[in-house]
Amino acid sequence: MADEGAEKIHSLLVTSSDTLADAMHKVGEGLHVDDPDNADAGKVALQGVNQARQYYGRLRHRIRAIHTSADSKRDVLDAIDRLNDGLGLFATGIKAGTTTDKGRDRIADAADRIQNAAVDLNQATNALV
């Protein structure tokens, strides 16, 4: 049976967030613009990525402050770190330009990292309870 701290962490991770949803909406909105020369679209996507990174940074901080005997807390924190790193790489890809090879390569690498981190985060979240 999970202790109270593990249950709090689990609750934080499975509760939907309007902040995160808004950030991801901006990323999608910015990346799905048909005009590759539209600088504002890239700025919107980058703003969304930065908001997501801030969200995960605050979430990580809140989770670190919760005391639990659950070993999976470390796995959760590690997955959040990898997720945040993937988002950071995604941001550098957007800055490099979504129409450049450098930008596309970084975005593709970031997408793989984000996906792997999300799977790890899901597994760690499930292990909490």
Side-chain angles (χ1 to χ4, degrees), residues 86 89-90 93-94 100-116:
L89 183 59
F90 196 84
I94 292 171
T100 66
D101 288 342
K102 183 177 179 181
R104 284 192 299 265
D105 289 347
R106 287 181 180 173
I107 289 170
D109 188 26
D112 288 342
R113 290 184 189 193
I114 291 167
Q115 182 177 9
N116 291 337

Side-chain angles (χ1 to χ4, degrees), residues 59-73:
L59 180 63
R60 186 185 192 292
H61 182 74
R62 288 179 67 188
I63 291 170
R64 281 190 64 220
I66 296 172
H67 298 287
T68 180
S69 61
D71 294 333
S72 52
K73 175 182 174 181

